[in-house]
Structures are given as C-alpha cells and as structure tokens.
Amino acid sequence: MRILFVSAEAAPLAKVGGMGDVVGALPKFLRRMGHDVRIFMPYYGFIPDKMDVPKEAVWKGDAMFQSFSVFETVLPGTDVPLYLFKHPSFSTRRIYGGVDEDWKFTFFANGAAEFAWNYWKPQIIHCHDWHTGMIPVWMHQDPDISTVFTIHNLAYQGPWRWRLEQMTWCPWYMQGHNTMAAAVQFANRVNTVSPTYAEQIKTPSYGEGLEGLLSFLGGKVSGILNGIDTESYNPETDKYIPQQFSADTIEKRYPNKIALQEEVGLEVNKNAFLIGMVSRLVEQKGLDLIIQMLDRFMAYTDAQFIVLGTGDRYYETQLWQMTARYPGRMSTQLLYNEALSRRVYAGCDTFLMPSRFEPCGISQMLALRYGCVPMVRRTGGLVDTVSHNNPIDNTGTGYCFDRYEPLDLFTCMIRTWEGFRYKDKWKELQQRGMRENFSWDISARKYVELYRDVLGLPPEESAPEEQPELTVES
C-alpha cells in the first residue's frame, strides 16, 4: 500500500509529545512489512541543525494565495522518505504557539493535499491531530484517496468553523463546528492511541465536547496502542546509561541508581526508595495531585524524588520550593534531556504517572522496559499497559489507583513504598515488567489491518500452521 503520513511532528527531528514518537517510528516498521510509506511535515527553522537537506526543491505549489516548496530527504536513521514543507511561516525555531498557529497549520494541511493530488498520490493519507484535520474533508471528494485520522490529544481541536471559512476553502458539504469535529466526520476511519481511550472519549468526562459525535460515529472509531522503539530503548545496549543490564541480570542495575543520585545531587544510598518522573509539567499529567501530596509523603517516608521536565511556571515554582525543603532527597531538573531521561528510567525504583487523562502514554512503557516499576492512575492507555501488582499470585506489573483524588494517590505511593521493602518480590515485579512486549511490530500489524479495512481489502492471511504428520503403527 502507498501511505502518506502528514504530521506536525516526527521524531527525532521535531518532537513535543507522543505524536512525534508515533510518526517517527511507525512508518519504519510499516516499510519493513513491504509498504511504501512516506512522511510529510513542516520544514521548521531548526531542521538544518539536525540534518542536511538538499538545496533544490522536488516540487513547488500554491495554496491559500501563498507559494511553497517541498524538499525530499530521508528521516534520520531510517529509509523512510521525508518531504519537508517549506514556507517563511515555519522558519521560526518553535513548533507550536504564536498568533498565526491556526493559519499556518491550516496552510500546511492545504499544501499536503495539493502535494498528494499533484506530486505523489497515496492510497491512504494518515492524518495526525487537528493540524491535518481539513485533509479528510477535502479528500472526501477524491475516490482514489482514503483517510485515517489519529487523535493524539482531543483537548486541542483547532480553529472554529468561522475562522476556517476566513482562511481556506470549506466545501459546501463540510460539517463540524471546528477542525477536529470536521476531521472526525469525514475521515474514513478514526483511531486513538489506546483501546481504553477510544472508549473514554465517548463519555462527557473525556470527550471534550465531542463525545456525542464520537458515540454516533462509534463504528469507525477504534484504538491501537502505541509501541516503543525496543531497539533504541534497550537496557542491554543503551549507551546513555552507566551499566547495561537485562531482566535476567537485574542485579547489575544498582550502579545506575548510584550514578543517577550523584548526577542530580541526591544523597547516595542504594537502599533509598527513589521515585522518578519524566513529564511535561502540566495539569493533565496530575501535577496538581502531586503538589498536594508529595510534601506529606516526603515527610512521612525516607524516599527520594527526581522530576525531569518543563511546563507551567506555577508547577515549576512549586517543585523548586519543595526541593529546597528536602535537600539531598529531592531534585527538580527543569529541562528536556533525552539522555538523562533514560538514566532516570534505568536508575529509579519507581516511576510516577498520576495523569488526569492519558491517550496512551509512552513513559510508563519505557519505565517497564528499564525495570522501573510504574505508579499510575487507571485511565486511558495506562489501563492497557500497566496492571496492578498482586504479590500473592505473582501477577501485575505496577501499582495503580482509580479516582483522581489526592488521598488515592497518597495511598498508592505508600503501598508502593511498602512493597519496595520486600526485595525478592520487588525483583520479580521488575522482571515481569521488563518482559512485557510493547514493540512497534505488534502495533504496526494492527495498523495494516486498519488500512486494509479502509481500502476494502480482505485481512492478510497468516501463514498456516504445519500439521504434524500422522503415523500408523504396524
């Protein structure tokens, strides 16, 4: 199949959240399966810092009374063709933000549609979030191109209908009060990045005002769990951590904890209960619960805590102030550092992720991969990836709580802290998590099934199992 991914992000070039991970990884695995998959994304001002781009454009076009150029290269570290959409509006060194955000991404979507009609015609355009939401509307009139629309974050829904009519062409048949609503209605299939979140967005608590529409269109809405790059994120070969290890050699993991404590200024103590968090510091990630309960938890226990990330100034300030109250026991790193995040996964005993909502979440899967036991709230993709520890029958991979309440988080943290005291059981818990399989191979096969369904093709036949030969005794 010929598939064009259109997205505002693609790791490792441009990444803010999980969408960048998906677009940077999934096409690579689909190409290994024999499909012609290509990526179309903006030519941001920082792209030349990360890779060499050819000087000559492969195609030039016009949309919304503007001219643009398209440059062809390859996504670093892969064989995936990458088309970069170049226009002065994307020359800044930021991905999102600015008063022109709605205009420039609508223009980008328009350019992608012109590209698909006039230069390289795919069978399927895989659109990601509201930035590409008008593409399913425009492709509705083209019988040769189908669309799949993936919702990574329903909270951001793009420009309103009246604003779209000011900026671009809105066909007579278009319905929907904003870009996201229009995309959901006109895409051939809609999917989210976890099965649980696909059901949750049909309820008022998670639907962000679109729950009625998503319920009505329920037949074409599904969820496919994100994967992780198990080749890059491999504790046996990861060059960013001081000591490599595996599930069978988990006793080698201790040097990573010591090295992390030294690096971030915590008291060096291999027996301390070390909690880690790598996250955007925003309300969605449960920061308001953490701010309410962490001080009490730190006073009650001898635990250590490290948080890595940036976000809302209020949460950054609160964490800084709390760090000052617990010198040697708490460290706040207000930055984005990929290498340090890996050392957090490899060195911490447990990983905190009490999200208010979570379409999928990748951090908890990376934590499991590195033997870092997750503490999560049961919502969205966290339900699909982390099961509650039951030491009696040796099942489960982490610690979970249900209600979005401070006391529930505090109880979960205390239970995890107490579980850490039983070293043999804790080691078994770590090993169960490390043996979970979250590779993209599984997710890629499900996406192929979705694409074939869109095109009306029968499911791929799996290889028939060999039947044992029958022998007749004489």
Side-chain angles (χ1 to χ4, degrees):
M1 292 179 283
R2 298 188 312 279
I3 305 159
L4 181 66
F5 276 59
V6 183
S7 170
E9 302 176 34
L13 294 176
K15 175 189 168 184
V16 174
M19 177 167 65
D21 290 307
V22 174
V23 179
L26 179 56
K28 176 174 66 175
F29 288 87
L30 292 171
R31 284 185 71 85
R32 289 180 186 173
M33 299 169 72
H35 304 287
D36 187 357
V37 185
R38 308 182 185 192
I39 300 173
F40 189 93
M41 69 171 281
Y43 192 152
Y44 296 109
F46 54 78
I47 295 290
D49 299 343
K50 301 187 176 184
M51 66 179 298
D52 293 327
V53 180
K55 297 288 190 291
E56 296 295 325
V58 295
W59 187 70
K60 295 184 179 181
D62 296 284
M64 290 168 54
F65 305 105
Q66 300 282 321
S67 297
F68 62 88
S69 304
V70 177
F71 294 79
E72 183 176 3
T73 180
V74 177
L75 189 70
T78 73
D79 63 345
V80 181
L82 174 67
Y83 297 104
L84 297 171
F85 174 86
K86 188 169 187 178
H87 183 267
S89 61
F90 286 99
S91 62
T92 57
R93 302 185 67 83
R94 57 177 164 78
I95 297 178
Y96 302 124
V99 295
D100 63 339
E101 183 180 79
D102 59 351
W103 181 89
K104 74 178 189 180
F105 281 114
T106 302
F107 173 48
F108 164 68
N110 211 319
E114 293 293 335
F115 176 83
W117 280 323
N118 297 292
Y119 184 78
W120 187 73
K121 191 161 192 171
Q123 293 170 282
I124 293 174
I125 299 181
H126 191 154
C127 308
H128 296 266
D129 268 354
W130 76 261
H131 320 99
T132 60
M134 285 299 292
I135 295 175
V137 179
W138 295 321
M139 294 301 154
H140 183 68
Q141 62 179 338
D142 191 330
D144 298 325
I145 300 179
S146 301
T147 54
V148 172
F149 183 73
T150 296
I151 298 171
H152 296 273
N153 196 332
L154 193 59
Y156 301 99
Q157 300 184 5
W160 294 90
R161 172 67 180 264
W162 63 266
R163 175 64 174 147
L164 288 168
E165 290 178 344
Q166 289 179 342
M167 296 188 294
T168 190
W169 173 53
C170 295
W172 62 269
Y173 53 78
M174 177 178 165
Q175 300 175 23
H177 62 282
N178 62 28
T179 315
M180 181 78 79
V184 166
Q185 290 185 71
F186 286 94
N188 295 92
R189 293 292 184 278
V190 177
N191 85 291
T192 67
V193 287
S194 74
T196 298
Y197 189 65
E199 295 303 314
Q200 287 183 329
I201 60 175
K202 298 173 186 176
T203 67
S205 298
Y206 296 90
E208 302 289 349
L210 294 183
E211 61 274 5
L213 176 61
L214 291 164
S215 296
F216 178 72
L217 301 173
K220 72 174 187 181
V221 179
S222 62
I224 298 176
L225 191 69
N226 281 347
I228 57 174
D229 190 338
T230 53
E231 297 170 4
S232 173
Y233 291 96
N234 184 353
E236 293 185 70
T237 59
D238 195 333
K239 64 180 184 293
Y240 294 107
I241 63 177
Q243 175 65 57
Q244 285 79 32
F245 62 97
S246 68
D248 296 323
T249 60
I250 201 164
E251 63 278 354
K252 292 183 178 180
R253 193 174 181 273
Y254 277 113
N256 295 311
K257 182 175 184 177
I258 302 300
L260 178 64
Q261 289 171 328
E262 292 176 342
E263 181 177 1
V264 300
L266 297 175
E267 178 187 344
V268 176
N269 179 1
K270 73 173 187 177
N271 295 316
F273 180 56
L274 181 55
I275 305 170
M277 184 174 185
V278 179
S279 174
R280 287 181 295 118
L281 305 180
V282 294
E283 189 258 349
Q284 178 215 327
K285 297 296 184 179
L287 265 294
D288 54 328
L289 293 187
I290 293 171
I291 295 301
Q292 292 179 71
M293 298 312 304
L294 186 59
D295 204 357
R296 184 172 301 178
F297 177 79
M298 296 292 284
Y300 180 75
T301 69
D302 58 353
Q304 296 180 348
F305 183 75
I306 173 175
V307 58
L308 170 64
T310 60
D312 293 349
R313 183 63 55 87
Y314 169 75
Y315 295 127
E316 291 181 351
T317 303
Q318 292 290 315
L319 289 168
W320 262 115
Q321 292 175 348
M322 204 176 301
T323 300
R325 292 198 293 274
Y326 297 99
R329 291 184 55 204
M330 184 169 171
S331 175
T332 300
Q333 305 289 321
L334 299 178
L335 49 94
Y336 174 81
N337 188 318
E338 169 71 16
L340 179 56
S341 71
R342 291 169 182 252
R343 292 193 284 274
V344 170
Y345 297 130
C348 288
D349 299 303
T350 186
F351 188 84
L352 183 58
M353 202 167 177
S355 303
R356 184 172 71 84
F357 66 92
E358 195 63 65
C360 177
I362 288 178
S363 297
Q364 80 279 9
M365 291 188 271
L366 297 176
L368 286 166
R369 178 89 169 138
Y370 284 78
C372 187
V373 176
M375 285 188 288
V376 304
R377 177 171 174 256
R378 290 178 51 81
T379 183
L382 301 176
V383 175
D384 301 311
T385 52
V386 181
S387 54
H388 191 67
N389 176 42
N390 186 337
I392 296 176
D393 56 9
N394 293 319
T395 59
T397 56
Y399 287 84
C400 311
F401 67 102
D402 290 294
R403 298 186 308 163
Y404 192 72
E405 296 289 345
L407 185 59
D408 291 53
L409 170 61
F410 182 73
T411 303
C412 181
M413 293 174 73
I414 293 295
R415 291 185 69 181
T416 312
W417 173 64
E418 290 178 339
F420 176 70
R421 294 158 56 190
Y422 300 91
K423 303 302 183 186
D424 290 340
K425 287 290 186 181
W426 187 266
K427 178 181 175 181
E428 293 174 10
L429 176 60
Q430 289 176 295
Q431 291 174 322
R432 286 199 298 272
M434 292 186 72
R435 292 185 174 119
E436 291 282 291
N437 185 0
F438 295 116
S439 72
W440 268 111
D441 292 309
I442 298 171
S443 302
R445 285 195 292 270
K446 293 182 179 178
Y447 272 105
V448 169
E449 292 174 11
L450 180 64
Y451 298 146
R452 293 181 69 86
D453 183 47
V454 168
L455 296 178
L457 301 174
E460 284 187 316
E461 294 183 6
S462 56
E465 295 183 7
E466 293 186 9
Q467 297 295 326
E469 294 183 8
L470 296 177
T471 57
V472 179
E473 294 183 3
S474 56

